[in-house]
Each structure stands twice: as structure tokens, then as C-alpha cells.
Amino acid sequence: MRRVSVVITAVALLSLAACGSSSKSSSEGAGSTTTVAGKTRPHVTIDAFDYGFKLPAQMPSGWVDVTLHNTGKEGHQIAFAKLGSLTLAAFKTAASATNVKALKEVQFVGGPNNAEPGGSVTATIHLEPGEYGVACFIPASDGKAHAAHGMVGKVTVAQTADSVEDAPTVEGGSISLSEFTFVPESFTGNGMVEFKNIGTQVHEAIIVKEAAGATLDSVKAFFLAPPGSPPPAGPPPFTSAGGIVGLGPSQTMYQQMALTPGKYVLVCFFPDPTKGDQPHALEGMVKEITVS
Ligand SMILES: [Cu+2]
């Protein structure tokens, strides 16, 4: 029951966050490219709507800038998972139920998170050739993941002349994710930021900027309303600042950031399969960081 309450709170915030200012961070226009040591990193823009993705049939392997452009009315994300031996049908079933235990075999490599309605979030992920399942795990008002409503699919990844294997250059520091915390290192919030999963479970980072007068406690109160109670009244005490989703153990990904000075909160709602799918946020995975 606790999980459902938290999850519904998360939905509310992601919808309400749409009323706030648009996220300037981690957004890039569709079709823009990034030059890496003379070679341009491929940039793929995927439209998200309520409820589905407009997916390309194929994406280049290597490091790819993935922009999720949200044309819907609810917040969305797209997590990429290399299927390996899991069938697409099994992936769809498990993703629709946010059954991370059944997704143990897939390799989650990350993706852009927390794209507000009308907004875009870009993340740089590494893809190996093969079949990938993609999904949005954000819950709809019925408590089921958006994946269960159609935000699940498949992308084929192949090496092409566009493929770039040189990892992005880190400019804005790094953030390590593990059970159950975020550890920033030399983090400035500006330039390319590295996200590393040094733990054993899949994690995400939903990033929000505290509104004037807000505190970590007021943000937590919004994210983690007690079981059975609605989130606090009024607008959310924060605005969206992008984020990353579905980063599996030992995986690294990047996000271009341009965070303005202020206090930010990182939250992970990924379920802990060893604790009855309790969201990591309830196990301490909520962190305030200051950008100066
Ligand atoms: Cu987590």
C-alpha cells in the first residue's frame, strides 16, 4: 500500500510540475548534433505522447544523444534495456507491471527522465548492437505504469558509419548512484555530467530545483506523502530540471546540464525487488545538492 501511495504522489508531481517554468537544463533542439573529437555524436529525438512513443526502427550503436520530446499532458521518460535472452513479449509484460525482478536478465543502459509536457530532456547513453526494449515506468492515475498503457516498445541498434565510441568528455562532475544514495563528485551542474551506477540495482535520478522558500523537507513531503494521504495542497515546491532513468549496475551515462544556482533534489523511485518493490526513495534515495 505504501508503494502505491508514493507512486501516486509521483504522478501528481510530474503532472503539476508542468505548471512550473520550463526546464532550460538538459534540453536541446531536435536535430542538433554534438561534435566529439572531430566526429559528430548521433542525436536521436523521440516523441512521447499519452501513451506511446514514436520510435525509430533503428538507432546507431555507440554513444548516442537521445532527446525525449514530450508532446503529452503527463511527465514521461524512456529507459533503454538490452533484451539479451528475454523476448520482447516478456519485456512488455514485465515493464507494464514494473516487475524489475522479471527484468533481471536485461541490461538497463539509461535514458532521459522527467520530461515535462511540452518539454524535452536529453541524455547520452551507450548502445551496443542488438535489440532493446524501451519503456516509461511513470505511473498513470490508475497506478499502472505508462508502459501498461502503450509506452513500451522495441528499437534495433546497429553499428553504422555514424557510430561514435569515444565517451563524452566530463565537464560538470559526476554523480554515483547506489543503494540507496547519490554521491556527487566535483559536481557543478554545468556542462557534461557523468552518472555512474556503482550499485547492484537499477536506479534513476529525477532532478528538481527547489522553488524560492522551499526546503528539502517540503520537497520530500510532496514526493513522499504518508500512506493514504494526498500530497500537500498548492503548487509543487519545485520545478523540473531533467534527469536520467533506468541506469543498470556498472553502467555509465551522461547528461548535458546548465543548472542555474540554487538547491536541487535528486530522487529515485525505482523499485527494490528485495524489499517488496519499495521505491528507493523510501530507503533513503533522496539527496539535496547545491549549485552555486
Ligand atoms: Cu535507486
Side-chain angles (χ1 to χ4, degrees):
M1 283 302 101
R2 203 173 180 199
R3 185 178 79 86
V4 171
S5 168
V6 169
V7 150
I8 287 170
T9 304
V11 178
L13 84 88
L14 285 165
S15 314
L16 286 166
C19 308
S21 67
S22 70
S23 165
K24 273 179 282 178
S25 62
S26 57
S27 295
E28 275 178 32
S32 70
T33 49
T34 307
T35 302
V36 186
K39 197 170 177 186
T40 302
R41 196 162 54 235
H43 187 171
V44 175
T45 296
I46 296 171
D47 281 350
F49 55 95
D50 311 332
Y51 297 103
F53 297 113
K54 285 182 190 161
L55 295 170
Q58 185 178 303
M59 287 173 65
S61 64
W63 290 102
V64 180
D65 292 348
V66 179
T67 294
L68 187 68
H69 176 227
N70 187 352
T71 65
K73 292 190 168 69
E74 296 182 35
H76 293 300
Q77 61 183 202
I78 186 167
F80 286 76
K82 192 165 191 236
L83 292 176
S85 60
L86 199 73
T87 63
L88 178 64
F91 175 81
K92 284 183 172 177
T93 301
S96 296
T98 319
N99 182 352
V100 293
K101 216 172 226 167
L103 293 170
K104 195 93 183 139
E105 296 166 53
V106 306
Q107 190 176 48
F108 277 96
V109 299
N113 198 356
N114 199 15
E116 308 175 281
S120 296
V121 173
T122 300
T124 305
I125 61 174
H126 189 266
L127 299 168
E128 287 169 10
E131 301 295 316
Y132 283 74
V134 296
C136 177
F137 295 102
I138 293 173
S141 54
D142 63 359
K144 289 183 185 163
H146 289 176
H149 293 280
M151 296 193 83
V152 64
K154 185 196 82 164
V155 173
T156 300
V157 173
Q159 190 175 353
T160 73
D162 294 335
S163 294
V164 169
E165 287 300 337
D166 297 316
T169 303
V170 177
E171 300 148 335
S174 76
I175 294 175
S176 296
L177 299 86
S178 62
E179 297 78 38
F180 292 98
T181 189
F182 301 94
V183 179
E185 202 183 316
S186 310
F187 179 78
T188 66
N190 280 280
M192 197 59 115
V193 173
E194 177 188 52
F195 287 85
K196 289 183 290 192
N197 185 338
I198 59 170
T200 59
Q201 297 193 20
V202 182
H203 296 291
E204 69 175 339
I206 290 171
I207 307 172
V208 297
K209 183 181 187 186
E210 291 180 18
T215 62
L216 176 59
D217 282 346
S218 64
V219 173
K220 274 187 176 174
F222 210 93
F223 276 118
L224 306 173
S229 70
F238 53 78
T239 51
S240 169
I244 59 111
V245 66
L247 189 62
S250 306
Q251 299 294 308
T252 298
M253 62 172 291
Y254 301 83
Q255 186 159 67
Q256 185 73 36
M257 291 189 176
L259 300 183
T260 51
K263 287 190 172 169
Y264 291 79
V265 180
L266 277 59
V267 189
C268 176
F269 285 107
F270 240 73
D272 180 351
T274 72
K275 285 276 172 62
D277 284 343
Q278 175 163 241
H280 292 173
L282 289 181
E283 299 183 88
M285 211 162 170
V286 182
K287 172 103 177 173
E288 183 181 61
I289 50 179
T290 301
V291 171
S292 51

